Amino acid sequence: MLEIRTIVLGVGDVRRAIAFWTRALGYVPREGEVRDDWAVLEPAEAGAGAALALDLSVSPVQEHPRVHFDLYARDTADQAAEVERLVSLGAERVDWDLYPEDPDFVVLADPDGNRFCVIDPTH
Protein backbone atom coordinates (compact mmCIF):
# COMPACT_ATOMS: atom_id res chain seq x y z
CA MET A 1 0.00 0.00 0.00
CA LEU A 2 1.27 3.48 -0.82
CA GLU A 3 1.35 6.37 1.62
CA ILE A 4 2.07 10.07 1.31
CA ARG A 5 5.34 10.88 3.06
CA THR A 6 6.35 14.11 1.32
CA ILE A 7 4.37 16.92 -0.22
CA VAL A 8 6.32 19.07 -2.70
CA LEU A 9 5.50 22.76 -2.91
CA GLY A 10 6.84 25.02 -5.65
CA VAL A 11 8.21 28.30 -4.31
CA GLY A 12 9.94 31.34 -5.75
CA ASP A 13 12.40 31.71 -2.85
CA VAL A 14 13.38 28.55 -0.98
CA ARG A 15 15.03 30.35 1.97
CA ARG A 16 11.99 32.58 2.51
CA ALA A 17 9.71 29.52 2.31
CA ILE A 18 11.86 27.70 4.89
CA ALA A 19 11.56 30.65 7.26
CA PHE A 20 7.76 30.77 6.89
CA TRP A 21 6.89 27.07 6.94
CA THR A 22 9.23 26.13 9.81
CA ARG A 23 7.54 28.76 12.00
CA ALA A 24 4.06 28.03 10.66
CA LEU A 25 4.18 24.26 11.21
CA GLY A 26 6.93 23.77 13.79
CA TYR A 27 8.89 21.77 11.20
CA VAL A 28 12.68 21.57 10.99
CA PRO A 29 14.96 21.24 7.95
CA ARG A 30 16.05 17.68 7.26
CA GLU A 31 19.79 17.34 7.70
CA GLY A 32 21.60 17.79 4.38
CA GLU A 33 18.39 18.76 2.58
CA VAL A 34 18.68 22.55 2.36
CA ARG A 35 19.92 24.23 -0.80
CA ASP A 36 18.99 27.43 -2.61
CA ASP A 37 16.80 25.41 -4.99
CA TRP A 38 15.48 22.62 -2.72
CA ALA A 39 14.78 21.89 0.93
CA VAL A 40 12.95 19.24 2.88
CA LEU A 41 11.22 20.11 6.13
CA GLU A 42 9.91 17.51 8.53
CA PRO A 43 7.99 17.51 11.79
CA ALA A 44 10.23 18.16 14.81
CA GLU A 45 8.78 14.98 16.31
CA ALA A 46 9.65 11.99 14.10
CA GLY A 47 6.62 10.36 12.49
CA ALA A 48 4.27 13.23 13.37
CA GLY A 49 3.25 13.97 9.77
CA ALA A 50 4.33 14.15 6.16
CA ALA A 51 7.48 16.02 5.16
CA LEU A 52 7.22 19.23 3.14
CA ALA A 53 9.68 19.66 0.29
CA LEU A 54 10.23 23.16 -1.09
CA ASP A 55 11.24 23.18 -4.74
CA LEU A 56 12.41 26.31 -6.55
CA SER A 57 9.84 27.08 -9.23
CA VAL A 58 9.36 29.74 -11.86
CA SER A 59 5.76 28.72 -12.53
CA PRO A 60 3.23 31.40 -11.67
CA VAL A 61 0.97 30.94 -8.65
CA GLN A 62 -2.53 29.81 -9.57
CA GLU A 63 -5.33 32.06 -8.38
CA HIS A 64 -7.58 29.02 -7.95
CA PRO A 65 -5.09 26.17 -7.43
CA ARG A 66 -6.11 22.61 -8.07
CA VAL A 67 -4.18 21.43 -4.99
CA HIS A 68 -3.74 23.19 -1.65
CA PHE A 69 -3.12 22.49 2.05
CA ASP A 70 -5.86 22.31 4.66
CA LEU A 71 -4.45 23.08 8.11
CA TYR A 72 -6.80 22.15 10.96
CA ALA A 73 -7.28 24.26 14.07
CA ARG A 74 -8.92 22.87 17.21
CA ASP A 75 -12.00 25.11 17.16
CA THR A 76 -13.30 28.54 16.14
CA ALA A 77 -11.17 30.49 18.62
CA ASP A 78 -8.05 28.52 17.70
CA GLN A 79 -8.77 29.09 14.00
CA ALA A 80 -8.89 32.86 14.55
CA ALA A 81 -5.70 32.79 16.62
CA GLU A 82 -3.87 30.63 14.06
CA VAL A 83 -4.93 32.88 11.17
CA GLU A 84 -3.57 35.91 13.04
CA ARG A 85 -0.34 34.04 13.93
CA LEU A 86 0.20 32.97 10.32
CA VAL A 87 -0.46 36.51 9.06
CA SER A 88 2.12 37.79 11.55
CA LEU A 89 4.60 35.30 10.06
CA GLY A 90 4.08 36.63 6.53
CA ALA A 91 0.93 34.93 5.23
CA GLU A 92 -1.69 37.10 3.57
CA ARG A 93 -5.46 36.86 3.66
CA VAL A 94 -6.87 36.00 0.24
CA ASP A 95 -9.96 37.76 -1.02
CA TRP A 96 -11.48 34.41 -1.98
CA ASP A 97 -14.34 34.72 -4.42
CA LEU A 98 -15.44 31.11 -3.94
CA TYR A 99 -16.35 31.22 -0.23
CA PRO A 100 -19.66 29.48 0.52
CA GLU A 101 -22.29 31.35 2.53
CA ASP A 102 -21.05 30.12 5.93
CA PRO A 103 -17.46 28.86 5.48
CA ASP A 104 -15.57 26.71 7.97
CA PHE A 105 -12.28 27.79 6.40
CA VAL A 106 -10.15 30.87 5.89
CA VAL A 107 -8.01 31.13 2.76
CA LEU A 108 -4.48 32.43 3.18
CA ALA A 109 -1.42 32.64 0.93
CA ASP A 110 2.13 31.96 2.02
CA PRO A 111 4.87 34.52 1.19
CA ASP A 112 5.21 32.91 -2.27
CA GLY A 113 1.48 33.23 -2.94
CA ASN A 114 0.63 29.52 -2.51
CA ARG A 115 -2.93 29.19 -1.19
CA PHE A 116 -3.82 27.19 1.91
CA CYS A 117 -6.79 27.01 4.23
CA VAL A 118 -7.16 27.09 7.99
CA ILE A 119 -10.12 24.90 8.94
CA ASP A 120 -12.43 25.04 11.96
CA PRO A 121 -13.50 21.39 12.36
CA THR A 122 -16.16 22.32 14.93
CA HIS A 123 -18.06 24.53 12.50
Side-chain angles (χ1 to χ4, degrees), residues 56-122:
L56 186 63
S57 175
V58 296
S59 299
V61 173
Q62 296 174 325
E63 186 173 337
H64 295 102
R66 294 178 66 173
V67 177
H68 67 273
F69 295 132
D70 280 351
L71 305 178
Y72 281 74
R74 288 185 303 271
D75 54 32
T76 304
D78 188 45
Q79 178 192 42
E82 285 296 334
V83 166
E84 292 309 313
R85 184 181 72 84
L86 292 164
V87 168
S88 78
L89 295 175
E92 292 185 11
R93 293 176 184 272
V94 174
D95 185 18
W96 193 247
D97 59 345
L98 301 177
Y99 273 121
E101 188 170 316
D102 187 25
D104 64 346
F105 62 95
V106 175
V107 181
L108 299 176
D110 73 5
D112 282 285
N114 294 304
R115 301 325 196 238
F116 63 97
C117 296
V118 180
I119 310 294
D120 170 7
T122 66

XYZ file of all heavy atoms in Angstrom, residues 56-122:
534
model
N 12.360 25.036 -5.836
C 12.407 26.309 -6.554
C 11.614 26.186 -7.848
O 11.790 25.253 -8.622
C 13.858 26.699 -6.857
C 14.050 28.070 -7.484
C 13.581 29.171 -6.543
C 15.510 28.272 -7.841
N 10.723 27.128 -8.075
C 9.839 27.076 -9.232
C 9.714 28.459 -9.855
O 9.686 29.464 -9.145
C 8.458 26.590 -8.808
O 7.553 26.645 -9.886
N 9.614 28.488 -11.166
C 9.363 29.744 -11.864
C 7.924 29.793 -12.379
O 7.525 30.773 -12.988
C 10.356 29.971 -13.033
C 11.772 30.106 -12.500
C 10.270 28.842 -14.050
N 7.168 28.752 -12.112
C 5.765 28.717 -12.527
C 4.974 29.758 -11.745
O 5.192 29.931 -10.545
C 5.145 27.347 -12.256
O 5.817 26.360 -12.976
N 4.038 30.423 -12.397
C 3.229 31.404 -11.671
C 2.270 30.726 -10.696
O 1.844 29.595 -10.907
C 2.462 32.118 -12.788
C 2.430 31.146 -13.914
C 3.691 30.337 -13.807
N 1.942 31.426 -9.634
C 0.974 30.937 -8.653
C -0.399 30.934 -9.305
O -0.756 31.853 -10.037
C 0.983 31.852 -7.411
C -0.122 31.473 -6.448
C 2.329 31.789 -6.729
N -1.182 29.898 -9.031
C -2.534 29.809 -9.566
C -3.506 30.521 -8.628
O -3.471 30.308 -7.413
C -2.961 28.350 -9.694
C -2.143 27.556 -10.675
C -2.530 26.085 -10.636
O -2.861 25.544 -9.602
N -2.490 25.463 -11.795
N -4.343 31.352 -9.191
C -5.332 32.064 -8.383
C -6.311 31.094 -7.730
O -6.729 31.273 -6.601
C -6.086 33.071 -9.245
C -7.013 33.943 -8.435
C -7.626 35.048 -9.262
O -7.055 35.428 -10.305
O -8.687 35.534 -8.864
N -6.707 30.079 -8.465
C -7.578 29.024 -7.951
C -6.849 27.692 -8.155
O -7.119 26.969 -9.113
C -8.927 29.011 -8.681
C -9.729 30.239 -8.444
N -9.827 31.257 -9.363
C -10.454 30.635 -7.375
C -10.589 32.208 -8.875
N -10.991 31.857 -7.672
N -5.910 27.371 -7.242
C -5.092 26.173 -7.428
C -5.919 24.889 -7.359
O -6.927 24.819 -6.666
C -4.096 26.245 -6.282
C -4.764 27.066 -5.246
C -5.625 28.045 -5.987
N -5.437 23.910 -8.080
C -6.108 22.608 -8.065
C -5.758 21.814 -6.814
O -6.503 20.924 -6.420
C -5.718 21.823 -9.318
C -6.256 22.490 -10.580
C -5.842 21.763 -11.798
N -6.480 20.438 -11.824
C -6.405 19.614 -12.840
N -5.726 19.949 -13.919
N -6.992 18.450 -12.798
N -4.626 22.119 -6.205
C -4.185 21.434 -4.990
C -3.782 22.492 -3.971
O -3.157 23.492 -4.326
C -2.974 20.517 -5.289
C -2.463 19.858 -4.023
C -3.328 19.467 -6.335
N -4.148 22.276 -2.714
C -3.738 23.191 -1.652
C -3.719 22.442 -0.329
O -4.218 21.323 -0.226
C -4.677 24.409 -1.575
C -6.061 24.060 -1.137
N -7.038 23.655 -2.020
C -6.635 24.047 0.091
C -8.143 23.405 -1.364
N -7.934 23.628 -0.071
N -3.145 23.057 0.699
C -3.116 22.487 2.050
C -4.377 22.880 2.802
O -4.858 24.005 2.669
C -1.958 23.050 2.884
C -0.593 22.707 2.397
C 0.355 23.704 2.283
C -0.240 21.417 2.084
C 1.628 23.415 1.860
C 1.028 21.114 1.648
C 1.962 22.122 1.541
N -4.864 21.991 3.647
C -5.865 22.311 4.658
C -5.185 22.085 6.002
O -4.772 20.965 6.317
C -7.090 21.403 4.557
C -8.059 21.816 3.469
O -7.892 22.908 2.895
O -8.985 21.038 3.194
N -5.038 23.155 6.770
C -4.446 23.079 8.106
C -5.581 23.182 9.120
O -6.379 24.115 9.055
C -3.440 24.216 8.307
C -2.330 24.308 7.264
C -1.434 25.515 7.548
C -1.508 23.029 7.220
N -5.673 22.232 10.035
C -6.799 22.153 10.963
C -6.476 22.790 12.308
O -5.477 22.447 12.934
C -7.219 20.692 11.168
C -8.062 20.188 10.030
C -7.507 19.888 8.796
C -9.435 20.034 10.191
C -8.288 19.451 7.747
C -10.226 19.592 9.137
C -9.648 19.297 7.926
O -10.415 18.866 6.878
N -7.333 23.693 12.731
C -7.280 24.263 14.069
C -8.128 23.374 14.986
O -8.793 22.443 14.515
C -7.824 25.687 14.042
N -8.110 23.663 16.276
C -8.919 22.869 17.210
C -10.377 23.270 17.196
O -11.274 22.433 17.310
C -8.363 23.003 18.632
C -7.045 22.278 18.844
C -6.608 22.338 20.303
N -6.494 23.699 20.807
C -5.389 24.443 20.729
N -4.309 23.958 20.168
N -5.367 25.671 21.228
N -10.646 24.601 17.094
C -12.005 25.113 17.164
C -12.016 26.524 16.574
O -11.009 26.989 16.042
C -12.529 25.089 18.600
C -11.622 25.812 19.582
O -10.947 26.805 19.198
O -11.571 25.391 20.754
N -13.142 27.217 16.727
C -13.298 28.544 16.135
C -12.289 29.549 16.695
O -11.670 30.310 15.943
C -14.733 29.064 16.361
O -15.655 28.098 15.825
C -14.963 30.394 15.677
N -12.113 29.553 17.998
C -11.172 30.492 18.618
C -9.739 30.186 18.181
O -8.958 31.100 17.888
C -11.291 30.441 20.135
N -9.392 28.910 18.127
C -8.052 28.519 17.700
C -7.833 28.875 16.229
O -6.747 29.314 15.850
C -7.855 27.015 17.934
C -6.425 26.568 17.694
O -5.498 27.251 18.164
O -6.247 25.523 17.034
N -8.861 28.710 15.413
C -8.766 29.087 14.004
C -8.422 30.568 13.879
O -7.516 30.953 13.147
C -10.062 28.777 13.265
C -10.031 29.184 11.797
C -11.407 29.134 11.159
O -12.390 29.555 11.758
N -11.469 28.619 9.938
N -9.137 31.413 14.600
C -8.889 32.856 14.547
C -7.480 33.181 15.014
O -6.777 33.990 14.390
C -9.926 33.594 15.386
N -7.050 32.543 16.094
C -5.703 32.786 16.618
C -4.633 32.315 15.629
O -3.620 33.001 15.421
C -5.533 32.087 17.966
N -4.849 31.158 15.021
C -3.870 30.635 14.059
C -3.803 31.510 12.809
O -2.716 31.759 12.284
C -4.189 29.187 13.692
C -3.828 28.194 14.771
C -2.330 28.130 15.049
O -1.503 28.431 14.164
O -1.979 27.763 16.183
N -4.932 31.980 12.341
C -4.931 32.877 11.174
C -4.104 34.113 11.497
O -3.243 34.528 10.712
C -6.364 33.243 10.741
C -6.356 34.414 9.770
C -7.055 32.030 10.121
N -4.325 34.708 12.656
C -3.566 35.906 13.038
C -2.080 35.591 13.185
O -1.224 36.379 12.778
C -4.124 36.519 14.317
C -5.501 37.125 14.135
C -5.586 38.079 12.945
O -4.702 38.951 12.796
O -6.539 37.949 12.157
N -1.749 34.446 13.774
C -0.344 34.044 13.928
C 0.317 33.876 12.572
O 1.428 34.362 12.329
C -0.252 32.736 14.734
C 1.184 32.290 15.020
C 1.191 30.973 15.792
N 0.804 29.851 14.953
C 1.643 29.180 14.156
N 2.917 29.535 14.052
N 1.197 28.159 13.439
N -0.361 33.203 11.649
C 0.196 32.969 10.318
C 0.367 34.280 9.554
O 1.367 34.481 8.863
C -0.681 31.981 9.553
C -0.660 30.555 10.125
C -1.819 29.751 9.573
C 0.673 29.877 9.860
N -0.584 35.187 9.684
C -0.461 36.505 9.055
C 0.752 37.243 9.638
O 1.521 37.870 8.905
C -1.765 37.312 9.200
C -1.565 38.777 8.830
C -2.869 36.687 8.337
N 0.970 37.126 10.938
C 2.121 37.785 11.553
C 3.446 37.195 11.075
O 4.475 37.859 11.131
C 2.031 37.724 13.084
O 2.400 36.452 13.572
N 3.402 35.950 10.589
C 4.605 35.296 10.060
C 4.851 35.615 8.587
O 5.891 35.243 8.048
C 4.498 33.773 10.223
C 4.456 33.243 11.654
C 4.235 31.733 11.649
C 5.711 33.616 12.411
N 3.892 36.263 7.934
C 4.077 36.628 6.534
C 3.011 36.126 5.589
O 3.050 36.420 4.398
N 2.041 35.354 6.090
C 0.932 34.931 5.228
C 0.049 36.142 4.948
O 0.077 37.129 5.682
C 0.113 33.838 5.915
N -0.741 36.047 3.894
C -1.692 37.103 3.566
C -3.084 36.503 3.435
O -3.244 35.387 2.951
C -1.324 37.777 2.245
C -0.048 38.568 2.309
C 0.230 39.321 1.021
O -0.669 39.405 0.148
O 1.351 39.821 0.885
N -4.074 37.270 3.871
C -5.463 36.864 3.657
C -5.764 36.975 2.166
O -5.333 37.911 1.509
C -6.406 37.759 4.437
C -6.271 37.602 5.929
C -7.167 38.609 6.644
N -6.980 38.537 8.073
C -7.651 37.728 8.885
N -8.575 36.925 8.395
N -7.406 37.706 10.181
N -6.501 36.014 1.656
C -6.867 35.998 0.243
C -8.328 36.408 0.121
O -9.187 35.868 0.827
C -6.651 34.596 -0.373
C -7.162 34.543 -1.793
C -5.170 34.219 -0.312
N -8.589 37.348 -0.743
C -9.962 37.759 -1.019
C -10.570 36.678 -1.914
O -10.584 36.796 -3.135
C -9.979 39.127 -1.703
C -11.381 39.661 -1.893
O -12.313 39.165 -1.216
O -11.550 40.563 -2.726
N -11.049 35.614 -1.284
C -11.475 34.407 -1.981
C -12.883 34.569 -2.525
O -13.832 34.718 -1.765
C -11.390 33.225 -1.020
C -11.495 31.887 -1.663
C -12.510 30.996 -1.513
C -10.557 31.278 -2.536
N -12.258 29.862 -2.241
C -11.057 30.019 -2.883
C -9.341 31.683 -3.079
C -10.393 29.151 -3.732
C -8.671 30.827 -3.921
C -9.191 29.583 -4.246
N -13.025 34.519 -3.814
C -14.340 34.724 -4.425
C -15.205 33.461 -4.443
O -16.345 33.503 -4.885
C -14.184 35.282 -5.843
C -13.386 34.375 -6.756
O -12.707 33.440 -6.266
O -13.427 34.602 -7.982
N -14.690 32.364 -3.928
C -15.439 31.109 -3.940
C -15.896 30.664 -2.548
O -16.271 29.509 -2.359
C -14.587 30.004 -4.583
C -14.139 30.268 -6.023
C -13.240 29.142 -6.527
C -15.338 30.439 -6.943
N -15.863 31.579 -1.568
C -16.347 31.222 -0.233
C -17.827 30.844 -0.302
O -18.616 31.543 -0.928
C -16.224 32.403 0.730
C -14.890 32.539 1.420
C -14.136 33.695 1.268
C -14.398 31.545 2.258
C -12.918 33.853 1.912
C -13.188 31.683 2.900
C -12.448 32.834 2.729
O -11.248 32.982 3.372
N -18.228 29.768 0.391
C -19.657 29.477 0.516
C -20.285 30.485 1.491
O -19.584 31.298 2.099
C -19.679 28.056 1.089
C -18.377 27.908 1.777
C -17.390 28.767 1.038
N -21.578 30.389 1.685
C -22.287 31.355 2.533
C -21.777 31.357 3.977
O -21.639 32.407 4.587
C -23.787 31.063 2.515
C -24.596 32.124 3.216
C -26.080 31.949 2.993
O -26.477 31.681 1.850
O -26.830 32.076 3.967
N -21.494 30.218 4.534
C -21.054 30.118 5.928
C -19.815 29.218 5.992
O -19.900 28.063 6.416
C -22.193 29.562 6.787
C -21.878 29.579 8.260
O -21.046 30.404 8.700
O -22.458 28.746 8.990
N -18.641 29.726 5.609
C -17.463 28.861 5.475
C -16.891 28.407 6.821
O -16.988 29.111 7.820
C -16.459 29.764 4.755
C -16.828 31.139 5.166
C -18.340 31.112 5.282
N -16.302 27.219 6.802
C -15.574 26.713 7.967
C -14.068 26.881 7.763
O -13.274 26.350 8.519
C -15.907 25.241 8.227
C -15.467 24.323 7.092
O -15.136 24.816 5.988
O -15.456 23.091 7.308
N -13.694 27.620 6.742
C -12.279 27.786 6.401
C -11.964 29.240 6.082
O -12.835 30.014 5.710
C -11.902 26.898 5.209
C -12.636 27.222 3.935
C -12.069 28.057 2.981
C -13.896 26.693 3.686
C -12.745 28.364 1.797
C -14.579 26.984 2.512
C -14.004 27.820 1.569
N -10.684 29.565 6.259
C -10.151 30.874 5.889
C -9.017 30.613 4.902
O -8.147 29.776 5.157
C -9.609 31.636 7.118
C -8.948 32.940 6.705
C -10.730 31.877 8.125
N -9.034 31.303 3.776
C -8.009 31.125 2.755
C -6.890 32.140 2.985
O -7.134 33.339 3.109
C -8.586 31.296 1.329
C -7.494 31.091 0.281
C -9.735 30.324 1.099
N -5.674 31.613 3.043
C -4.476 32.429 3.180
C -3.518 32.079 2.046
O -3.695 31.067 1.359
C -3.786 32.169 4.525
C -4.575 32.476 5.791
C -3.772 32.063 7.025
C -4.938 33.943 5.867
N -2.503 32.919 1.873
C -1.423 32.636 0.927
C -0.103 32.770 1.675
O 0.067 33.685 2.496
C -1.464 33.614 -0.246
N 0.807 31.853 1.412
C 2.135 31.955 2.024
C 2.908 33.087 1.344
O 2.399 33.706 0.403
C 2.859 30.603 1.964
C 3.352 30.194 0.583
O 3.239 30.970 -0.383
O 3.861 29.069 0.467
N 4.122 33.413 1.795
C 4.867 34.517 1.187
C 5.140 34.357 -0.310
O 5.419 35.338 -0.993
C 6.167 34.556 1.990
C 5.763 34.043 3.338
C 4.775 32.944 3.024
N 5.041 33.143 -0.834
C 5.211 32.911 -2.270
C 3.891 32.956 -3.019
O 3.857 32.772 -4.226
C 5.894 31.561 -2.514
C 7.381 31.639 -2.270
O 8.090 32.204 -3.126
O 7.837 31.166 -1.215
N 2.785 33.147 -2.307
C 1.476 33.230 -2.942
C 0.724 31.914 -3.004
O -0.406 31.873 -3.495
N 1.322 30.816 -2.519
C 0.635 29.524 -2.511
C -0.534 29.571 -1.539
O -0.391 29.968 -0.387
C 1.596 28.404 -2.098
C 2.690 28.203 -3.106
O 2.433 27.977 -4.278
N 3.930 28.302 -2.653
N -1.714 29.155 -2.011
C -2.926 29.190 -1.194
C -2.972 28.005 -0.240
O -2.546 26.903 -0.570
C -4.181 29.139 -2.065
C -4.426 30.196 -3.113
C -3.972 31.566 -2.794
N -4.588 32.536 -3.682
C -3.906 33.367 -4.453
N -2.609 33.343 -4.463
N -4.529 34.239 -5.211
N -3.532 28.256 0.958
C -3.820 27.186 1.906
C -4.978 27.649 2.764
O -5.303 28.830 2.813
C -2.587 26.805 2.740
C -2.041 27.889 3.628
C -2.393 27.940 4.969
C -1.172 28.848 3.141
C -1.889 28.932 5.805
C -0.645 29.834 3.961
C -1.019 29.876 5.305
N -5.627 26.698 3.423
C -6.794 27.012 4.225
C -6.545 26.642 5.685
O -5.870 25.659 5.972
C -8.015 26.225 3.739
S -8.520 26.671 2.065
N -7.141 27.417 6.573
C -7.161 27.092 7.987
C -8.608 26.729 8.304
O -9.518 27.523 8.114
C -6.672 28.257 8.861
C -6.719 27.875 10.340
C -5.248 28.680 8.452
N -8.795 25.493 8.762
C -10.123 24.898 8.937
C -10.545 24.903 10.399
O -9.735 24.620 11.280
C -10.119 23.426 8.436
C -9.533 23.285 7.043
C -11.508 22.802 8.551
C -10.310 23.932 5.942
N -11.808 25.189 10.640
C -12.426 25.041 11.955
C -13.265 23.763 11.898
O -14.366 23.762 11.348
C -13.316 26.246 12.271
C -14.167 26.047 13.514
O -13.988 25.035 14.235
O -15.040 26.901 13.774
N -12.768 22.651 12.469
C -13.505 21.389 12.360
C -14.763 21.329 13.220
O -15.569 20.423 13.057
C -12.483 20.350 12.835
C -11.589 21.105 13.757
C -11.523 22.507 13.206
N -14.966 22.312 14.088
C -16.161 22.324 14.933
C -17.302 23.104 14.302
O -18.399 23.157 14.854
C -15.863 22.930 16.320
O -15.526 24.325 16.163
C -14.743 22.191 17.009
